[in-house]
Amino acid sequence: MDHPNILVSQHDGICSIEISRREKKNAITSAMYRALSVALGHAREQSHVKVVLIRGQDDLFTSGNDLSDFLQRKASDPSAAIPFLHLLSAFEKPLVAAVAGNAVGIGTTLLLHCDLVYAADNALFQLPFVNLALCPEAGSSLLLPRLAGHQRAAELLLLGEPFSADTACAAGIVNRVVAPEQLMETALAAAKKLAAQPAQSLAVTKALMKRPPERSAIEAMDEEVIFFADLVAAPAAKEIFSAFLEKRIPNPEKIHGAQP
Ligand code: COA
């Protein structure tokens, strides 16, 4: 389902999903959430897509949920954001985000489900749920305290004030802060590197990292061992080991399989 405000393009194994509704500061409507879900669903199914890049423009990410939609919403109305967030949270392939300008509400909380997040130094984050008489969404009440610690998360969620890219970086929401003109190339470079990694190893590693943290280190190790045993015997790993021992560059076809 194409949507004029959700621009999807694919190149070099990267599916780029751009939020583009500048006249409303990229506010996300229900129809846009549905288009985001469709785009993610396709990216998940298409084997040539290795990485998804979520982005706005050099000066704007998103002002969050469309407040007109919120205004119309009844308690019993289903939220189109939920299927999108479920897909995002369970997404097996790496998710990279490039954030500039305003990143409000879900513009910040969706980042908690991404793997690599790059922000321009003009980025301005905000979690104004309490300010809007709402409460946190997208799992942020669990994920943010886990990431940033209770007090830092409480400051961001309870006061709901805008915060800078440096603060987001210190809280663990953002990997790196760059100049606005370097944002997209930085995010794309990371996405390209990920796309060149062995896809199955990426998926297994991400799945292991996403396991509930309540388990013990022993349980984690036992789980890792099961995947490790399969991966260590698979052709991709064998090719990389062989190449190292033979002092040559690995053959990408043996790592990624022959491209159609
Ligand atoms: N939902 C619907 N419309 C929005 C919107 C949103 N989340 N954010 C911005 N807009 C609209 C404005 O109503 C305005 O529309 P208009 O030109 O038809 O009047 C237009 O986008 C420009 O917004 P404006 O507020 O003038 O831009 P700004 O640069 O001064 O401020 C923000 C940018 C993001 C700080 C500000 O728009 C804002 O706070 N938006 C609401 C954020 C929010 O609460 N989101 C929900 C989180 S749960």
Side-chain angles (χ1 to χ4, degrees), residues 142-143 145-147 207-220 223:
L142 171 80
L143 297 175
R146 191 188 283 171
L147 194 62
L208 287 168
M209 290 196 300
K210 288 260 183 173
R211 299 284 296 135
E214 292 74 31
R215 71 208 163 123
S216 69
I218 297 294
E219 286 172 307
E223 276 181 359

Side-chain angles (χ1 to χ4, degrees):
M1 182 189 11
D2 289 336
H3 190 284
N5 301 123
I6 300 296
L7 311 179
V8 181
S9 60
Q10 292 183 2
H11 51 90
D12 303 328
I14 301 165
C15 174
S16 167
I17 303 179
E18 179 177 345
I19 305 166
S20 176
R21 190 187 176 215
R22 292 185 61 82
E23 69 284 6
K24 295 289 181 192
K25 298 284 170 184
N26 288 353
I28 307 175
T29 61
S30 296
M32 288 164 70
Y33 283 122
R34 285 192 283 276
L36 285 167
S37 296
V38 170
L40 271 187
H42 284 162
R44 188 184 57 191
E45 300 308 323
Q46 292 171 317
S47 61
H48 61 274
V49 172
K50 309 290 186 201
V51 183
V52 168
L53 170 66
I54 301 177
R55 53 169 290 180
Q57 297 78 43
D58 289 349
D59 59 350
L60 180 62
F61 191 54
T62 168
S63 62
N65 203 101
D66 189 289
L67 291 176
S68 313
D69 272 14
F70 267 170
L71 193 60
Q72 307 294 327
R73 264 259 292 281
K74 296 189 208 76
S76 56
D77 285 349
S79 161
I82 302 300
F84 163 65
L85 287 167
H86 278 221
L87 273 167
L88 195 71
S89 184
F91 203 71
E92 298 90 346
K93 301 175 189 182
L95 293 164
V96 179
V99 186
N102 288 117
V104 187
I106 198 166
T108 296
T109 57
L110 77 79
L111 304 175
L112 303 173
H113 299 278
C114 294
D115 301 297
L116 298 180
V117 179
Y118 298 98
D121 57 18
N122 64 7
L124 200 58
F125 302 81
Q126 193 179 4
L127 297 163
F129 304 111
V130 171
N131 313 41
L132 293 167
L134 300 170
C135 68
E137 38 82 307
S140 55
S141 60
L142 171 80
L143 297 175
L144 195 58
R146 191 188 283 171
L147 194 62
H150 177 82
Q151 277 78 0
R152 248 190 312 203
E155 187 173 31
L156 303 179
L157 282 169
L158 300 184
L159 294 180
E161 290 168 347
F163 54 99
S164 69
D166 284 338
T167 300
C169 203
I173 301 168
V174 160
N175 288 82
R176 186 138 57 96
V177 181
V178 298
E181 60 276 14
Q182 287 168 358
L183 176 66
M184 294 308 165
E185 68 183 75
T186 304
L188 262 178
K192 276 186 189 157
K193 275 190 200 167
L194 287 169
Q197 294 280 55
Q200 207 197 346
S201 289
L202 284 175
V204 167
T205 303
K206 181 166 171 172
L208 287 168
M209 290 196 300
K210 288 260 183 173
R211 299 284 296 135
E214 292 74 31
R215 71 208 163 123
S216 69
I218 297 294
E219 286 172 307
M221 276 182 238
D222 288 349
E223 276 181 359
E224 288 165 355
V225 156
I226 294 167
F227 291 108
F228 197 94
D230 284 339
L231 288 172
V232 79
K238 296 286 186 226
E239 170 60 9
I240 293 170
F241 304 152
S242 305
F244 175 79
L245 294 171
E246 292 162 16
K247 302 190 190 310
R248 61 176 172 81
I249 294 171
N251 179 346
E253 273 194 17
K254 290 194 176 165
I255 295 174
H256 306 294
Q259 296 298 316

